[in-house]
Amino acid sequence: MYGSGGDDESEGLPGTYEIYKAEADALFKNGDYRKAIESYTTALTLRADDRISLVCRSKCHLMLGDTHKALQDAEASLAEDKNYHKGMYQKAEALYNQGDFEMALVFYHRGNRLRPELQDFRLGIQKAQEAIQNCVGTPDRVKLNTTGDLSFFKAQEEKKTRRKGAAPLQRPQTVPRRKRAAQRSAGNEKTIRQMLGELYGDRQYLEKLLRETDTNTATGKKINNLAEEGLFYLDTRTDFWQQVKPMYARKYEARLALNRGKTVKTSPHEYIMNELEKIDNMITEQNYEAALKRSQRVMVLLDGYNESQLANKMTFKANLHSIQGNAYLEMDDHENAAKQHLKDLCIGEEFEIDEAACRALDNLGRVYARSGAFQKAIDVWERKLPRSKTALESTWLCHELGRCYLELDQTQQAKDYGERSLAAAEEAGEDRWQLHALVLISQAEGDTCTVDATRGDTACMLYRTVGDTCTVDATRGDTACMLYRTVGDTCTVDARDDTACMLHITRADTCN
């Protein structure tokens, strides 16, 4: 468990936080969201500022329909870092499910600017825009003019003028939740039936259960509360679905479908986007062969469209080449992976698609490095380095270049890139990459890795529990060491088993 030094509150059973967090994750995967919330809450009592647990608990609240608490947790995860992309996405999802589509769209756009490679933000932008258009319509469908009889508006202005000196009107009293829901249901039963669909039968059952349950007994009260909770959830979902796609929008789509032979055709852009989403899911599930086959079928279909039918055809084509290259790489087919990423690079440079060109240079360097062609990886990544947009991106690029030079026994160049990586990591405030850079510099200088952690409040962490003293020999292994507990002023780590070294705990120690 990541310690905090000598705080008394951290004393207790080692790994308590990890146990509760793992338990909560398992409950979430099994769909037991209420118990998962309890476990996440317990974990947060041990580590109150853990933003990952806050995001996970927000997801649980959202699955239970409690958008208010989901939004609170999402905002809490952004308290220290406003650019935390997972918290930003969760806040956008909570706002969307609350029906605040405009603010949801704002945060989807912010997240997309921070992490343009993530499909979730692009899909969020699309669904938020569609919800707004369904609610208010598109501007080209509304044409206002000042012709005709405007006497009604003049009469309204005269009434407002006469009322200025009158006493202010009292606000109407708030109607109780269930009573208000019942009054609304009586007048809009047909709308509710259309919105709920198959769930309308469940709503009728819950209302009947509510009427017939005797609340004088403890069991009756419990049943009554559960029925109330279920009806409230269905009512809030009905309101949300009505906001996302009102009845007039549904009727309009139905008329269009009827006029088109009762089928709603998908545009080429929407179809390709849906296919890319499915392929991304396959990659996430590590089903690389299926993802490769599907992307090849989409590529054939894409070649059948022209630029007038599909405006972003070459962007989609470059994206598919990148997907195929990554799939081949995961299947250890380095030759075909390099071919696909080279095609991605050619399209990006020919059509001036900067995102595709930068992505292809990154991926091509990874292919060459994994296949042992370190000089080719150096050539590609040195082309990419001037295009780096963030300090973090420069950090890992310089580190990987230094590693390649180290593999070629060019220690001076490796050291230079290690120092550049360290400077960029300090600028980005990334402790882990600072340690990677320090280890790279030490490996370039000699056999022994000496890490001076006084550069920042950090400490060593080792993947396995060790005694008070451990040795660090960086002649093997990619990086250095991790220690699950706080160590003394001097930490010595043995990296002969190819473990990784991370700078994590906030201490100002020296790691030898």
Side-chain angles (χ1 to χ4, degrees):
M1 175 175 174
Y2 299 148
S4 58
D7 294 344
D8 293 337
E9 294 178 358
S10 64
E11 294 181 1
L13 293 175
T16 303
Y17 165 79
E18 283 78 7
I19 291 173
Y20 285 118
K21 176 68 168 57
E23 180 186 38
D25 292 340
L27 290 169
F28 179 83
K29 289 180 181 179
N30 293 332
D32 197 346
Y33 303 117
R34 295 189 187 280
K35 290 185 178 179
I37 288 173
E38 294 176 2
S39 295
Y40 282 128
T41 303
T42 306
L44 284 166
T45 58
L46 300 172
R47 192 177 297 172
D49 58 347
D50 183 49
R51 58 189 188 181
I52 298 177
S53 295
L54 286 169
V55 169
C56 292
R57 190 171 69 174
S58 175
K59 291 179 182 179
C60 293
H61 285 307
L62 207 56
M63 295 301 293
L64 294 174
D66 194 343
T67 55
H68 179 68
K69 289 184 179 178
L71 183 59
Q72 284 182 334
D73 281 345
E75 289 177 337
S77 70
L78 294 169
E80 294 184 359
D81 183 6
K82 298 295 183 184
N83 294 328
Y84 179 46
H85 69 280
K86 291 184 179 180
M88 192 172 294
Y89 176 76
Q90 192 58 30
K91 183 174 182 178
E93 286 286 287
L95 289 168
Y96 180 83
N97 281 273
Q98 275 189 346
D100 195 350
F101 305 124
E102 292 85 356
M103 285 304 299
L105 183 60
V106 168
F107 283 96
Y108 283 132
H109 272 297
R110 288 182 185 176
N112 190 49
R113 283 197 298 271
L114 287 172
R115 298 293 296 271
E117 74 277 7
L118 296 180
Q119 183 80 356
D120 292 337
F121 287 114
R122 295 197 293 270
L123 295 176
I125 291 171
Q126 183 179 353
K127 70 180 182 182
Q129 288 176 340
E130 289 177 356
I132 293 170
Q133 290 177 2
N134 287 332
C135 290
V136 300
T138 53
D140 56 351
R141 293 173 59 186
V142 181
K143 296 182 181 179
L144 301 178
N145 55 62
T146 57
T147 60
D149 184 11
L150 303 178
S151 58
F152 171 77
F153 298 100
K154 293 179 181 179
Q156 293 294 320
E157 289 295 329
E158 292 175 0
K159 288 181 181 179
K160 290 181 181 179
T161 305
R162 288 197 299 268
R163 287 178 180 173
K164 281 184 178 180
L169 297 176
Q170 294 182 352
R171 292 181 64 184
Q173 294 182 350
T174 304
V175 181
R177 174 172 60 82
R178 285 306 308 157
K179 186 177 180 181
R180 180 169 64 245
Q183 290 175 351
R184 183 201 64 192
S185 302
N188 302 284
E189 200 67 25
K190 183 178 179 181
T191 300
I192 292 173
R193 185 187 299 112
Q194 290 176 320
M195 287 291 172
L196 290 178
E198 295 180 357
L199 293 175
Y200 183 72
D202 297 331
R203 187 178 188 278
Q204 286 183 313
Y205 173 76
L206 289 173
E207 287 184 333
K208 181 181 178 182
L209 193 64
L210 199 63
R211 289 193 302 267
E212 297 178 355
T213 301
D214 182 13
T215 57
N216 294 325
T217 63
T219 304
K221 288 180 181 179
K222 185 176 181 180
I223 294 174
N224 185 274
N225 290 335
L226 291 173
E228 282 271 3
E229 187 178 346
L231 285 170
F232 176 68
Y233 177 79
L234 291 176
D235 287 342
T236 54
R237 290 297 88 191
T238 302
D239 291 338
F240 173 70
W241 291 330
Q242 172 74 352
Q243 285 180 297
V244 173
K245 187 171 288 187
M247 284 309 302
Y248 67 80
R250 295 169 186 262
K251 292 177 181 178
Y252 176 72
E253 287 187 357
R255 287 198 299 270
L256 288 179
L258 186 64
N259 294 335
R260 294 175 184 173
K262 298 183 179 180
T263 57
V264 179
K265 294 183 179 179
T266 305
S267 68
H269 184 275
E270 291 176 348
Y271 177 77
I272 298 298
M273 286 293 292
N274 290 334
E275 287 297 307
L276 287 176
E277 181 183 0
K278 293 175 182 177
I279 293 170
D280 284 343
N281 291 334
M282 291 177 181
I283 293 289
T284 304
E285 295 169 359
Q286 299 182 355
N287 192 358
Y288 303 115
E289 291 186 6
L292 181 61
K293 291 179 181 178
R294 194 175 194 112
S295 63
Q296 289 170 343
R297 290 198 299 268
V298 176
M299 183 72 79
V300 173
L301 179 66
L302 197 62
D303 290 334
Y305 292 119
N306 54 41
E307 291 292 338
S308 61
Q309 293 173 312
L310 190 62
N312 299 325
K313 175 182 175 179
M314 299 314 296
T315 302
F316 286 131
K317 195 166 184 177
N319 198 2
L320 284 170
H321 281 305
S322 178
I323 290 171
Q324 291 179 22
N326 289 334
Y328 277 125
L329 180 60
E330 295 299 332
M331 295 163 62
D332 293 328
D333 189 347
H334 298 149
E335 182 179 355
N336 282 319
K339 288 180 181 178
Q340 295 300 323
H341 290 309
L342 281 171
K343 291 179 180 178
D344 184 19
L345 178 61
C346 290
I347 292 174
E349 292 179 340
E350 180 180 354
F351 293 90
E352 297 182 351
I353 307 172
D354 187 61
E355 179 183 355
C358 291
R359 177 186 62 214
L361 289 171
D362 285 342
N363 291 329
L364 198 56
R366 287 197 306 120
V367 173
Y368 288 144
R370 286 180 60 172
S371 62
F374 298 111
Q375 187 57 53
K376 289 184 177 180
I378 290 170
D379 295 339
V380 170
W381 276 331
E382 286 184 339
R383 290 175 57 188
K384 172 65 173 63
L385 191 57
R387 301 188 181 192
S388 177
K389 297 179 181 178
T390 63
L392 181 59
E393 189 177 5
S394 299
T395 298
W396 77 260
L397 271 173
C398 290
H399 180 271
E400 294 306 309
L401 282 164
R403 292 294 309 170
C404 289
Y405 275 116
L406 193 62
E407 293 292 339
L408 296 174
D409 292 328
Q410 299 181 29
T411 55
Q412 184 57 47
Q413 291 89 335
K415 181 182 176 182
D416 292 342
Y417 274 112
E419 291 174 347
R420 291 176 63 178
S421 177
L422 178 60
E426 289 175 346
E427 181 184 348
E430 288 287 335
D431 289 344
R432 183 167 67 93
W433 281 104
Q434 288 180 46
L435 184 60
H436 289 333
L438 288 168
V439 172
L440 175 59
I441 294 169
S442 299
Q443 289 176 322
E445 289 177 342
D447 293 337
T448 304
C449 169
T450 304
V451 179
D452 184 3
T454 56
R455 298 173 183 263
D457 294 335
T458 49
C460 288
M461 302 183 64
L462 193 63
Y463 276 123
R464 54 186 177 82
T465 304
V466 295
D468 292 334
T469 304
C470 46
T471 40
V472 173
D473 181 359
T475 55
R476 297 193 57 188
D478 292 334
T479 46
C481 62
M482 295 184 64
L483 204 68
Y484 268 123
R485 56 179 179 76
T486 306
V487 295
D489 293 335
T490 303
C491 172
T492 318
V493 182
D494 187 0
R496 291 192 176 125
D497 55 348
D498 293 342
T499 54
C501 185
M502 296 181 62
L503 207 66
H504 199 80
I505 304 179
T506 54
R507 287 178 60 89
D509 300 333
T510 301
C511 175
N512 295 318

